[in-house]
């Protein structure tokens, strides 16, 4: 039987911990490498992914010198070379270095150590993003931390620039909440949206999408301002707008649609929505429908699934992206979508029974049908 893939074991395992320990030993000859590896890995079997990061940081605290500044200096010396500075996207680095920034956040988030800790996070984020750790400092020392992030917006390394946006996001996944207003980081985004690196601009767009969930007016106004400034290349600005408005588009926000050149008042018809009446759990199903509109009409097509809860009610839903298209010479086009229903997803547990699919075009709900998940 094929062994099930384990992300936590792939990212944190004895081989990686041993490599980390060897790098520390080079910088600190008194380091008890074997004891560190044995104790660290010995607890992995009872720890989930994020807990492993915290546990490694605790072990580093135990096996490094008691003086925080001395220990920090050793960790910085032990870091490998920075991630390739010539890449422009998807260079996340190695999560095995996340415990270093966790170490800084846990033991160095003090007034006395603030400058040294922030300098260390700048180094660490070039190996693996310190986006979670910087939030401890934003909460504890908001003025000093935001001031430092503003300076880093001009850093020569794009990982550091990305940290300024990603670390200050209002709703950063898997991270603690930050206690600053949604608009507090906009001065940083104003400096970063024209960046030439997709890794940075994607973070800017994600940040603005976070803002749109609590201040849609502010997100829209910011995008309008950026477009008028004409500092970013046209295609990249369009990417930012699409990515930053994805939540608003799913909500049918007309201002977001207008930014994308789509009209909420366009005459569109959905017909012949077809899906099998019964769908097997853990299988993929394809549904189809026809779209009719005047030639040249731009369309953003989404679909909503209404899920049955454990109580047998359709009281949970999620909007999914389907496609963006333009009706060409033929005023009617067929659209199809394949959707997989997995019983135990990380984000939702599915229950058998009646479900519904609703088609949404340019923010308007136009057709709905039901099916039984069994």
């Amino acid at each position: 039987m094929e062994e099930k893939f384990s992300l936590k074991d792939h990212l944190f395992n004895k081989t990686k911990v041993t490599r980390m320990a060897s790098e520390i030993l080079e910088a600190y000859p008194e380091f008890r490498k074997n004891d560190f590896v044995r104790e660290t890995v010995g607890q992995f079997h009872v720890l989930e992914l994020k807990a492993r990061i915290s546990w490694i940081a605790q072990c580093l605290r135990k096996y490094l010198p008691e003086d925080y500044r001395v220990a920090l200096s050793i960790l910085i010396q032990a870091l490998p070379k920075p991630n390739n500075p010539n890449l422009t996207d998807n260079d996340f680095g190695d999560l095995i270095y996340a415990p270093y920034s966790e170490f800084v956040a846990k033991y160095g988030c003090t007034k006395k150590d603030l400058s040294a800790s922030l300098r260390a996070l700048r180094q660490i984020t070039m190996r693996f993003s310190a986006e979670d750790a910087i939030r401890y400092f934003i909460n504890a020392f908001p003025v000093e931390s935001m001031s430092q992030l503003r300076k880093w917006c001009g850093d020569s390394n794009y990982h550091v620039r990305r940290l300024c946006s990603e670390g200050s996001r209002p709703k950063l996944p898997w991270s603690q909440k930050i206690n600053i207003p949604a608009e507090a980081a906009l001065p940083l985004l104003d400096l970063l949206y024209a960046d030439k690196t997709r890794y940075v601009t994607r973070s800017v767009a994600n940040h603005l999408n976070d803002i749109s969930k609590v201040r849609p007016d502010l997100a829209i106004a910011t995008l309008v301002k950026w477009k008028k400034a004409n500092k970013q290349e046209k295609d990249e600005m369009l990417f930012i707008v699409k990515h930053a408005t994805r939540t608003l588009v799913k909500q049918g926000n007309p201002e977001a649609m207008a930014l994308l050149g789509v009209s909420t008042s366009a005459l569109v018809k959905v017909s012949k929505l077809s899906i099998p009446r019964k769908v097997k759990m853990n299988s993929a199903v394809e549904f189809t429908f026809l779209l009719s509109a005047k030639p040249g009409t731009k369309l953003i097509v989404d679909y909503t699934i209404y899920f049955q809860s454990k109580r047998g009610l359709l009281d949970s839903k999620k909007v999914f992206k389907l496609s963006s298209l333009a009706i060409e010479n033929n005023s009617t086009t067929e659209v199809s979508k394949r959707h997989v229903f997995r019983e135990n997803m990380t984000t939702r547990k599915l229950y058998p029974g009646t479900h519904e699919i609703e088609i949404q075009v340019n923010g308007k709900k136009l057709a709905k049908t039901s099916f039984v998940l069994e």
Side-chain angles (χ1 to χ4, degrees):
M1 184 177 177
E2 186 177 345
E3 187 174 346
K4 185 178 179 182
F5 175 78
S6 169
L7 181 62
K8 63 183 179 182
D9 290 335
H10 174 72
L11 296 172
F12 294 100
N13 52 55
K14 185 175 182 180
T15 299
K16 289 197 171 188
V17 171
T18 301
R19 188 190 75 204
M20 170 202 285
S22 297
E23 293 167 348
I24 295 174
L25 183 63
E26 286 287 320
Y28 177 44
E30 298 173 40
F31 187 60
R32 291 154 48 205
K33 171 186 169 181
N34 293 336
D35 291 341
F36 170 80
V37 172
R38 187 181 306 110
E39 183 169 354
T40 300
V41 177
Q43 291 297 309
F44 277 5
H45 67 287
V46 296
L47 299 174
E48 296 301 322
L49 194 150
K50 283 205 74 175
R52 292 187 186 190
I53 295 175
S54 182
W55 170 242
I56 293 172
Q58 291 179 54
C59 290
L60 288 171
R61 188 75 176 117
K62 176 179 178 179
Y63 285 90
L64 288 173
E66 185 175 347
D67 187 293
Y68 168 74
R69 296 281 188 94
V70 174
L72 183 62
S73 176
I74 291 168
L75 288 181
I76 299 306
Q77 290 180 58
L79 285 170
K81 290 181 180 180
N83 296 341
N84 187 347
N86 297 317
L87 298 179
T88 59
D89 199 9
N90 295 327
D91 188 16
F92 293 97
D94 195 331
L95 195 64
I96 195 64
Y97 297 108
Y100 284 28
S101 55
E102 178 87 357
F103 179 93
V104 174
K106 276 181 173 289
Y107 308 112
C109 192
T110 65
K111 187 68 175 178
K112 179 183 71 171
D113 296 317
L114 181 59
S115 294
S117 292
L118 290 175
R119 287 195 300 271
L121 290 183
R122 179 185 175 275
Q123 290 296 323
I124 295 167
T125 205
M126 288 187 270
R127 282 76 175 181
F128 185 81
S129 178
E131 63 202 48
D132 182 60
I134 194 67
R135 298 168 81 83
Y136 289 82
F137 293 86
I138 292 173
N139 281 340
F141 306 102
V143 174
E144 298 90 336
S145 299
M146 294 300 286
S147 175
Q148 184 61 68
L149 289 178
R150 189 180 180 93
K151 293 176 183 176
W152 283 346
C153 285
D155 198 276
S156 60
N157 188 285
Y158 71 86
H159 288 276
V160 180
R161 299 197 304 274
R162 176 184 180 270
L163 175 66
C164 302
S165 168
E166 197 72 7
S168 59
R169 281 177 57 180
K171 296 179 179 293
L172 183 66
W174 300 92
S175 293
Q176 65 169 315
K177 185 175 184 268
I178 49 174
N179 303 320
I180 58 174
E183 64 272 16
L186 277 181
L188 307 181
L189 304 189
D190 285 338
L191 295 172
L192 295 169
Y193 81 91
D195 203 280
K196 302 306 178 186
T197 306
R198 173 58 65 87
Y199 199 49
V200 177
T201 55
R202 179 184 286 108
S203 176
V204 169
N206 283 333
H207 190 136
L208 208 56
N209 184 60
D210 283 358
I211 291 176
S212 78
K213 296 173 182 177
V214 292
R215 290 285 308 278
D217 57 329
L218 183 60
I220 293 293
T222 300
L223 288 170
V224 170
K225 178 180 71 173
W226 290 350
K227 287 188 73 175
K228 287 182 178 178
N230 202 31
K231 292 181 179 179
Q232 181 56 276
E233 294 178 6
K234 186 177 179 180
D235 288 347
E236 193 65 12
M237 192 66 233
L238 179 59
F239 166 82
I240 293 172
V241 171
K242 283 183 176 179
H243 213 57
T245 59
R246 62 190 188 274
T247 296
L248 294 179
V249 166
K250 289 179 179 179
Q251 294 171 351
N253 184 289
E255 292 175 299
M257 297 287 185
L259 276 172
L260 295 168
V262 172
S263 172
T264 55
S265 61
L267 296 177
V268 185
K269 180 181 178 183
V270 172
S271 60
K272 297 185 178 179
L273 174 57
S274 175
I275 187 171
R277 299 300 298 169
K278 294 184 178 181
V279 177
K280 293 287 187 183
M281 188 78 76
N282 300 312
S283 70
V285 64
E286 186 170 1
F287 59 92
T288 62
F289 56 92
L290 296 181
L291 272 177
S292 301
K294 289 183 179 180
T297 305
K298 291 183 178 180
L299 304 176
I300 295 178
V301 187
D302 301 316
Y303 65 100
T304 303
I305 297 183
Y306 294 84
F307 296 94
Q308 181 149 165
S309 68
K310 189 176 182 179
R311 298 179 298 162
L313 302 175
L314 292 174
D315 55 3
S316 175
K317 68 178 182 178
K318 182 176 180 180
V319 181
F320 297 89
K321 296 300 298 177
L322 204 160
S323 68
S324 297
L325 54 94
I327 298 294
E328 298 184 357
N329 296 333
N330 190 342
S331 61
T332 299
T333 186
E334 184 178 58
V335 179
S336 64
K337 177 65 180 179
R338 186 174 180 271
H339 188 98
V340 178
F341 292 94
R342 293 191 178 92
E343 186 172 7
N344 291 302
M345 299 180 291
T346 56
T347 55
R348 180 190 305 276
K349 179 174 174 57
L350 298 183
Y351 297 95
T354 300
H355 289 58
E356 292 178 339
I357 286 184
E358 185 171 53
I359 307 303
Q360 176 176 302
V361 184
N362 291 4
K364 292 185 176 180
K365 298 171 173 43
L366 298 181
K368 182 190 286 187
T369 190
S370 62
F371 63 96
V372 175
L373 187 64
E374 58 181 22

